[in-house]
Amino acid sequence: MEFTTIKGFKDILPEDVETWQRLESEARRVFHSFGFKEIRPPLLERTELFSRGIGQETDIVSKEMYTLKDSKGRGLTLRPEATASVVRAYVQHRLYLKNPIQKLFTIGPMFRHERPQKGRFRQFHQINAEIFGDPGSRSDADIIIMAMFFLETIGLSGLGLHINSLGCHKCRVSFKKELKKYLIQKIHALCLDCQRRTETNPLRVFDCKVDTCKETVSSAPSILDYICEDCQEHFESVQGYLESSGIPFVLNHKLVRGLDYYTRTTFEVQTDRLGAQNAVTGGGRYDGLVKLIGGPDHPGTGFAMGIERLVALLDEDAEQEVRTPDLFIAALGDTAEKKAFNWVNDLRRTGIWVETEYSSKGLKAQMKRAGRLGARKVLIVGEDELASGKGVLRDMEKKVQEKVELQNIVNNLKGILKESTG
Ligand code: HAM
């Protein structure tokens, strides 16, 4: 049997990992400057956390969760998203007691059993940020500004910010009624799932990927015509902050997002360069979620971005910078090999990337390996060099050689290598 990754799961190979690390460390740097702290919830949670938090009628809960049973028969689920887990941790550890405004971020894998395609995987990774404790428009604007600033910092521009308001639980009732009336008139154009959703949760018809359903909702009533005065004011205020921060956006009344917990502001950052999977970031406000998960009635707002999609956009844009070793030590003979082993370790402790062979090899084979690795310089040390107290240092690019004193070699090499890197 040949073992390969399972469908929708992929290895992140060494040549890609540097881009991932750069994104993760930029996220940490930018988010810290906005006052966010990292939290790392587990990957496995009680199924109920997600079914209650995200909503039974959503695609995620109804079709896409990886669920198993523990020894007592209780459902456990690999997290399909991070918000419910972060909310659970916020409630469980009463983080609100330490600070009435909590700003948290988390980075890691999520699992959804979706049909894999370009930009869509079954294990994917998100950078996720949440603000708890503020109901106002400024925290919505702040979270959107942070997302846009981060995307700009990593070198992604030309992305479209779409925003909408889903109103509050009160004003959404009248919209749902109108939407339902509209959908019932068109019921035969809807797929069987959407015919059911029309009754149970009509907003979810907006998420359907079936063409006739998409066409049907394209002329559905707009939620923005139904939101109450308070929600209207809140939404206008968010827009005002975005405008004064110079962040362009488009109003998109069809942006209902695929999770039930949203209230008021929702947003997505979209690209036209990834085919059907056009959202690189999605988020919004979720004022009832903390209470729904068993905590106090605290508001929240946040977003998540898919790392695979960010990396795909960056790959299209940029030449990959490949790192290569600063030095290769080619040692010949037992004594030189033993000395080289110690020099390698001493040099590595100073932050210099040094490579050498693990087994005894001739000079030709060692030079070939140094060339393949792309080492900038090679130190050649054999019996003659040890006897004369001088090694040979070859510059692989310029193809020139010089002698270096072996006494105090670690310091000598440190100086030479630092000088040549500038
Ligand atoms: P979401 O829209 O489901 O929202 O996912 C956010 C982002 O994760 C998407 O915009 C996309 O970049 C990425 N993503 C989602 N599914 C996949 C997949 N199958 N393969 C690759 N990338 C994917 C949430 O998850 C919410 N928890 C966001 C949020 C946080 N709202 C408030 N706080």
Side-chain angles (χ1 to χ4, degrees), residues 54-55 57-61 64 112 166 201 203-204 206-209 254-262 266 268 283:
I54 301 169
E57 268 298 326
T58 59
D59 281 354
I60 298 179
V61 171
E64 298 169 0
R112 294 184 195 173
L166 295 185
N201 194 347
L203 270 185
R204 294 277 68 89
F206 281 99
D207 303 331
C208 187
K209 313 279 184 310
K254 286 193 222 100
L255 190 71
V256 296
R257 310 268 304 120
L259 305 98
D260 274 353
Y261 50 60
Y262 290 112
T266 56
E268 260 181 28

Side-chain angles (χ1 to χ4, degrees), residues 30-212:
V30 169
F31 294 4
H32 280 143
S33 70
F34 278 75
F36 283 70
K37 293 206 169 122
E38 186 165 353
I39 182 166
R40 299 187 186 187
L43 306 193
L44 202 59
E45 302 265 8
R46 295 243 172 272
T47 303
E48 171 75 8
L49 173 68
F50 301 116
S51 48
R52 197 191 300 176
I54 301 169
Q56 285 290 357
E57 268 298 326
T58 59
D59 281 354
I60 298 179
V61 171
S62 65
K63 303 182 194 158
E64 298 169 0
M65 296 205 301
Y66 281 90
T67 294
L68 52 116
K69 293 237 184 291
D70 70 7
S71 57
K72 295 201 172 100
R74 290 173 301 196
L76 302 176
T77 291
L78 277 172
R79 65 178 182 193
E81 59 113 47
T83 309
S85 298
V86 177
V87 170
R88 196 256 321 120
Y90 173 82
V91 173
Q92 179 177 342
H93 305 286
R94 300 190 193 192
L95 297 180
Y96 44 88
L97 294 180
K98 294 193 187 114
N99 192 336
I101 303 286
Q102 279 288 337
K103 302 192 222 176
L104 302 170
F105 74 94
T106 192
I107 301 176
M110 312 291 150
F111 304 84
R112 294 184 195 173
H113 195 274
E114 294 186 82
R115 200 162 47 78
Q117 54 174 249
K118 187 178 175 200
R120 191 161 76 189
F121 305 96
R122 289 180 174 173
Q123 177 179 326
F124 60 97
H125 298 73
Q126 283 184 346
I127 297 174
N128 189 99
E130 317 286 354
I131 303 178
F132 295 102
D134 180 66
S137 54
R138 221 177 295 169
S139 51
D140 285 355
D142 205 30
I143 202 101
I144 296 175
I145 289 167
M146 183 168 87
M148 299 310 283
F149 179 62
F150 170 72
L151 292 168
E152 193 188 310
T153 307
I154 59 170
L156 289 179
S157 49
L159 301 169
L161 170 65
H162 290 233
I163 63 170
N164 190 22
S165 173
L166 295 185
C168 57
H169 292 300
K170 280 182 249 147
C171 58
R172 205 179 307 163
V173 176
S174 55
F175 174 67
K176 274 190 180 168
K177 234 194 240 161
E178 279 311 304
L179 181 63
K180 197 168 156 183
K181 246 199 245 164
Y182 170 86
L183 293 172
I184 285 173
Q185 282 166 17
K186 317 255 171 185
I187 202 84
H188 299 297
L190 299 178
C191 70
L192 286 179
D193 276 345
C194 285
Q195 292 186 6
R196 196 194 63 244
R197 289 174 186 138
T198 299
E199 278 306 315
T200 54
N201 194 347
L203 270 185
R204 294 277 68 89
V205 179
F206 281 99
D207 303 331
C208 187
K209 313 279 184 310
V210 175
D211 283 344
T212 49

Side-chain angles (χ1 to χ4, degrees), residues 214-283:
K214 276 204 249 174
E215 213 181 293
T216 307
V217 291
S218 67
S219 36
S222 162
I223 190 154
L224 294 177
D225 295 332
Y226 291 83
I227 59 178
C228 63
E229 230 171 86
D230 283 354
C231 290
Q232 185 71 39
E233 218 171 88
H234 192 278
F235 191 42
E236 276 167 13
S237 175
V238 173
Q239 295 174 55
Y241 284 119
L242 293 178
E243 273 158 10
S244 68
S245 312
I247 296 188
F249 57 85
V250 284
L251 290 183
N252 178 351
H253 73 88
K254 286 193 222 100
L255 190 71
V256 296
R257 310 268 304 120
L259 305 98
D260 274 353
Y261 50 60
Y262 290 112
T263 53
R264 295 193 161 173
T265 314
T266 56
F267 69 99
E268 260 181 28
V269 184
Q270 300 180 355
T271 171
D272 50 16
R273 286 156 53 198
L274 287 178
Q277 301 314 311
N278 64 352
V280 287
T281 303

